[in-house]
Amino acid sequence: MTALVLALTAGAVIGLALGALGGGGSVLAVPALIYLLGFSPVGATTASLVIVTLTSVTALVAHARDGHVRWRAGLLFAAAGIVPAMLGGALAARVPAVVLTAAFAVVAGAAAVRMLRTRPPADAAVTVRPGRAAAAGAGLGAVTGVLGVGGGFLAVPALVSVLGLRMREAVGTSLLVITVNSLAALATRAGTVERLDWTVVGPFVGAAILGAWDGKRLSAKVSGHTLQRTFAVVLLAVAVFMLVDAAL
């Protein structure tokens, strides 16, 4: 019963983050699964991909309906990241758990610091740059495969800083990138998915999907700059915690 309550609570929080911020789901799901629900690092990264993929699809539909998805930029990111995500997924099983945790924390912390130092651009229209989008997408795919994350916590700052998308468009578009990258990474982890504890993962997914809808409504009421800073602070806090834990 305790595990069920924790799964429902963590799922709701992660869904809220994905719906409102377009990322942060995996970076919150992985430590929640490890520290609250007793998953191994490999099991947690695989389960987080399942959770975030299903939740991202739900949130993507809502953002697309409001016109906040830049399909061209998102598809460029996603297409460039498919092969790196699959290669990274194959490599992940060979990475020691402590190294995986530390790498996860460093990447999340770097993304948080970058977002804290970057203000969202003005609401003027921007031109998508295919070369830069493809390069960033390949990097995001590799991180998704190795660390078992959807990549939204990197996709949002990349879409804002590299391509100059408005924050709400970056949030919506990142959900497309998350979905494709996560599916590609899961394709290389098919052998571990069936060993997941679905009595925990199932309720986690259900609560996350419901939370994503609430997060979408929240994003319509909060300014882009506030969303960006909130996203960054959450990432930084999680990164510090995991880095300290890995060092102990």
Side-chain angles (χ1 to χ4, degrees):
M1 181 61 71
T2 301
L4 177 61
V5 172
L6 289 173
L8 290 171
T9 302
V13 171
I14 287 159
L16 189 69
L18 267 170
L21 304 173
S26 293
V27 81
L28 297 175
V30 171
L33 289 164
I34 293 174
Y35 300 113
L36 297 180
L37 297 168
F39 278 59
S40 68
V42 174
T45 55
T46 301
S48 76
L49 287 171
V50 175
I51 293 163
V52 174
T53 298
L54 296 175
T55 309
S56 295
V57 170
T58 302
L60 175 62
V61 171
H63 281 271
R65 185 182 296 119
D66 290 343
H68 293 156
V69 179
R70 291 287 295 273
W71 294 98
R72 184 186 177 197
L75 289 173
L76 281 168
F77 262 74
I82 290 174
V83 172
M86 296 183 74
L87 292 175
L91 175 65
R94 298 178 173 82
V95 178
V98 65
V99 174
L100 201 63
T101 301
F104 188 99
V106 169
V107 170
V113 170
R114 182 173 185 177
M115 288 205 76
L116 283 171
R117 297 174 59 183
T118 305
R119 294 187 62 86
D123 286 349
V126 297
T127 300
V128 175
R129 302 172 185 175
R132 298 181 71 183
L140 290 170
V143 171
T144 296
V146 174
L147 300 183
V149 298
F153 67 101
L154 293 174
V156 171
L159 290 167
V160 169
S161 303
V162 176
L163 299 183
L165 297 190
R166 293 172 292 182
M167 184 62 184
R168 283 195 175 87
E169 287 185 338
V171 168
T173 304
S174 74
L175 292 166
L176 174 61
V177 179
I178 291 169
T179 300
V180 176
N181 281 351
S182 296
L183 285 172
L186 276 172
T188 64
R189 298 181 180 221
T192 64
V193 173
E194 60 183 280
R195 294 197 294 271
L196 295 178
D197 185 352
W198 290 101
T199 63
V200 173
V201 175
F204 204 124
V205 170
I209 289 174
L210 292 176
W213 286 100
D214 289 333
K216 170 60 181 62
R217 288 193 288 268
L218 176 64
S219 70
K221 300 176 182 178
V222 182
S223 71
H225 184 53
T226 300
L227 283 174
Q228 179 173 309
R229 293 190 68 82
T230 301
F231 186 21
V233 169
V234 171
L235 282 181
L236 192 58
V238 172
V240 170
F241 174 79
M242 295 190 74
L243 196 57
V244 169
D245 180 73
L248 294 178

